[in-house]
Amino acid sequence: MHNYDVVIIGSGLGGLTCGAILAKNGYRVCVLEKNQQIGGCLQTFSRDKTVFDSGVHYVGGLAPGQNLHQIFKYLGIMDKLNLKRLDMDCFDRIAFAGDPREYKMAQSYDAFIQGLLADFPGEEKALKEYCAMLRHICDKFPLYNLRMGGFEEKESVLSINAAEFINSLTSNRKLTQVLAANNPLYAGVEDKTPMYVHALVLNSYIESSWKCVNGGSQIGKWLSRAITENGGTLLRYKEVQRIVAEGHDVQYVETAKGERFTAKHFISNMHPANTLNMLESDVIRHAYRTRIKSLENSNSTLMVNVALQPGMFPHMNYNYYYHDVEDVWSGHEYTEDTWPRNYSMFISPDPRDHRYANGLSIMAYMNIREVAPWADTFNTASQEAPRGEDYEAFKQRKAEKVLDMVEKRFPVLRQCIKNYYVATPLSFRDYIGTADGSMYGVMKDSRDPLRTFIAARTKLSNLYLTGQNLNMHGILGVTMSAVVTCAELLDMEKLLHEIKTA
């Protein structure tokens, strides 16, 4: 038996941030991770001397005084991160099939408006209204602004639909498509995605956009260091399979190898549906279990990670979103023949020479149904089990289709490729632990916003949830969710004060 103050299941960003905050506040913390590598979506991997991110391609909110900057500063990791700011006049570049123009989104609200006015000269009113709405919504989220406040503040904006609001700004269809074009950032769905999801994500990037040089795993590395330096423990290869409760308290968790860990408090960084599958308790009502299990997850992805020949492909210090269709919300709806309908491309600078890129990560929506023939396989670095030749052929066929689409804008791409590596929804399923390989967890729904909110507190007195399924996904959203979870054990007002004054 191992006994701690807090046992945290899963070392994704939510689990690590909770661990770092609680260890800093004197709790004896133990984080249990089933894989060899910690960090969930923060994981990186190296191929052909090129570092690839599995999930974190850029980060907002890291300029001095911004929310994420303050939390990372409070935890003592901000000045250790190796960051590169994306171009001030363009953090996201948007392109459409059949339109030779490319549209730029700039950092800072004034530059954002001025930049798009160059392409849409008559649309100042629409652009100002759009930016005002982003800020208005962000103001309604107390924690996003590192202050105390109640749920009722945000209630008024939760059911505004993103596509509907953006389309209402102007009759200029191209502009409304441009403003929504980076919706793969949150797997946007036209009739569902709430405007608050769009606003919280976009606002943080407009305020400041950054890339982690040599990958986002450094965030996980420094958070884990913050845990161990404050007396906490981080254990790998510990796959929790049971969460055992008696009455209103969790007694212990048990790993696949039968080890038991006891604690005063338990935090699960897993998907809530996975947490409930392991939880042995009759206190959790059937209705709650049914609701959580019935929540729809956002779509998954095919990712083509390209290692480039040195000194051949120029580095572009921005992200690239390309749509092959008129409607930027329709990337999910495809057939075998029409796939892919869009892609997002993230470009890594060569650490030795920033004029050139050494890697590209190209992401296109993919439903897990496409990989159904291999659903019974499992393959990670620590548990290698190849999925077979037909799977490899499937990956190559899909990757080539993606590269064909990229070459419409970057015709020399294939000549610059050293090698490429493909991740499918099964890769995300096996590494990140969502049943359907969803990268962004539970899909929010503007038509029924409260149904998709999941509280950090459960009906068990000492079991809490954290991670991307609670409030918001993304580095910023998950870090905020961790603060919410920790506030169940700490004084929220004092914690926010310490973060703000860090």
Side-chain angles (χ1 to χ4, degrees):
M1 272 298 204
H2 309 268
N3 191 20
Y4 298 92
D5 292 332
V6 185
V7 163
I8 298 171
I9 306 165
S11 74
L13 175 60
L16 291 176
T17 307
C18 284
I21 292 174
L22 293 171
K24 185 179 164 75
N25 283 278
Y27 284 83
R28 279 181 312 124
V29 170
C30 175
V31 182
L32 303 174
E33 170 53 51
K34 69 171 181 174
N35 288 319
Q36 165 194 342
Q37 214 182 356
I38 60 161
C41 292
L42 294 171
Q43 292 174 57
T44 52
F45 59 94
S46 180
R47 297 281 185 278
D48 293 303
K49 300 194 173 102
T50 305
V51 175
F52 294 103
D53 274 299
S54 57
V56 180
H57 295 103
Y58 58 134
V59 188
L62 283 177
Q66 282 185 266
N67 43 21
L68 195 55
H69 182 277
Q70 284 307 116
I71 296 172
F72 283 178
K73 206 168 154 191
Y74 166 75
L75 290 172
I77 71 166
M78 187 61 218
D79 55 351
K80 299 186 172 84
L81 299 177
N82 184 0
L83 300 166
K84 180 179 171 68
R85 194 161 186 173
L86 296 179
D87 286 348
M88 293 303 290
D89 68 340
C90 178
F91 64 90
D92 281 354
R93 189 179 278 241
I94 315 293
F96 298 91
D99 179 354
R101 264 194 182 168
E102 295 185 349
Y103 303 89
K104 296 174 171 181
M105 294 189 170
Q107 298 182 57
S108 98
Y109 275 101
D110 289 344
F112 182 89
I113 291 170
Q114 291 310 314
L116 286 172
L117 271 179
D119 291 310
F120 301 99
E123 296 292 341
E124 189 166 10
K125 180 173 171 288
L127 286 164
K128 284 188 162 164
E129 220 171 292
Y130 168 79
C131 291
M133 183 56 128
L134 294 192
R135 293 166 121 166
H136 168 70
I137 289 176
C138 292
D139 283 346
K140 296 274 185 197
F141 283 72
L143 194 63
Y144 190 84
N145 299 289
L146 303 177
R147 62 175 174 77
M148 297 293 287
F151 188 78
E152 57 287 346
E153 273 191 72
K154 48 188 164 190
E155 219 157 352
S156 61
V157 297
L158 295 182
S159 47
I160 302 169
N161 174 278
E164 227 170 83
F165 171 75
I166 293 170
N167 291 338
S168 76
L169 290 167
T170 169
S171 57
N172 186 324
R173 174 131 172 99
K174 182 51 69 86
L175 176 57
T176 59
Q177 292 294 296
V178 168
L179 291 175
N182 47 14
N183 76 71
L185 273 172
Y186 45 83
V189 174
E190 185 162 18
D191 57 351
K192 285 193 175 152
T193 301
M195 187 63 192
Y196 81 83
V197 169
H198 177 91
L200 295 175
V201 171
L202 261 290
N203 175 71
S204 75
Y205 289 127
I206 292 173
E207 289 190 338
S208 72
S209 289
W210 309 79
K211 210 170 181 53
C212 291
V213 179
N214 280 335
S217 59
Q218 52 179 302
I219 298 173
K221 179 180 93 174
W222 292 116
L223 284 171
S224 66
R225 186 91 42 103
I227 292 171
T228 53
E229 282 174 0
N230 281 301
T233 310
L234 218 148
L235 302 173
R236 299 156 202 263
Y237 301 114
K238 302 288 180 196
E239 184 179 354
V240 173
Q241 287 192 338
R242 296 173 68 211
I243 304 171
V244 181
E246 266 176 42
H248 284 268
D249 301 315
V250 173
Q251 300 298 316
Y252 61 87
V253 298
E254 188 175 289
T255 67
K257 292 186 176 145
E259 290 175 277
R260 291 182 178 185
F261 291 82
T262 60
K264 294 180 189 133
H265 307 278
F266 297 85
I267 296 173
S268 174
N269 186 200
M270 295 184 298
H271 192 292
N274 296 8
T275 306
L276 291 176
N277 286 341
M278 293 179 192
L279 177 59
E280 298 171 21
S281 161
D282 42 18
V283 170
I284 302 287
R285 289 206 307 268
H286 180 67
Y288 177 77
R289 287 183 184 265
T290 307
R291 174 173 83 89
I292 297 297
K293 287 179 185 173
S294 70
L295 292 175
E296 192 183 350
N297 285 326
S298 55
N299 214 341
S300 191
T301 283
L302 180 95
M303 184 83 81
V304 184
N305 291 301
V306 177
L308 296 163
Q309 307 271 11
M312 283 187 71
F313 195 89
H315 175 240
M316 297 171 286
N317 195 31
Y318 48 78
N319 312 298
Y320 196 85
Y321 291 85
Y322 179 86
H323 293 269
D324 204 36
V325 279
E326 277 287 281
D327 178 11
V328 297
W329 296 97
S330 66
H332 301 278
E333 303 146 19
Y334 61 84
T335 62
E336 175 73 23
D337 298 336
T338 61
W339 185 90
R341 308 191 77 169
N342 55 7
Y343 68 81
S344 319
M345 183 162 77
F346 308 102
I347 302 128
S348 312
D350 187 327
R352 292 173 300 280
D353 184 351
H354 276 209
R355 290 174 308 170
Y356 295 100
N358 72 347
L360 306 173
S361 292
I362 310 160
M363 191 166 100
Y365 285 128
M366 179 173 279
N367 192 295
I368 196 152
R369 285 193 300 269
E370 292 220 39
V371 284
W374 307 280
D376 295 337
T377 61
F378 183 88
N379 182 24
T380 61
S382 56
Q383 239 179 301
E384 284 193 43
R387 302 188 209 270
E389 280 174 29
D390 48 349
Y391 177 71
E392 295 304 317
F394 167 85
K395 288 200 305 188
Q396 186 176 354
R397 192 173 76 245
K398 293 293 186 182
E400 291 295 333
K401 282 187 90 165
V402 171
L403 294 175
D404 286 343
M405 186 179 271
V406 178
E407 281 203 325
K408 290 180 181 177
R409 282 295 157 109
F410 303 95
V412 295
L413 174 62
R414 276 190 172 89
Q415 295 161 33
C416 306
I417 294 178
K418 194 193 296 183
N419 242 321
Y420 65 74
Y421 305 88
V422 185
T424 73
L426 293 179
S427 323
F428 292 104
R429 180 198 70 180
D430 294 354
Y431 276 100
I432 294 165
T434 43
D436 49 12
S438 166
M439 282 181 74
Y440 304 133
V442 171
M443 193 192 299
K444 309 296 185 218
D445 191 344
S446 58
R447 296 168 304 188
D448 191 359
L450 298 184
R451 190 168 168 268
T452 53
F453 268 93
I454 299 172
R457 180 181 292 204
T458 69
K459 284 277 186 258
L460 293 166
S461 65
N462 63 345
L463 175 65
Y464 309 95
L465 306 175
T466 200
Q468 67 172 2
N469 300 290
L470 269 62
N471 292 326
M472 280 284 291
H473 67 272
I475 296 284
L476 180 57
V478 172
T479 304
M480 293 298 181
S481 300
V483 173
V484 172
T485 304
C486 290
E488 296 292 338
L489 304 183
L490 304 171
D491 176 339
M492 175 72 114
E493 204 160 341
K494 181 170 174 283
L495 178 60
L496 286 179
H497 175 72
E498 286 173 0
I499 289 170
K500 274 186 101 150
T501 55

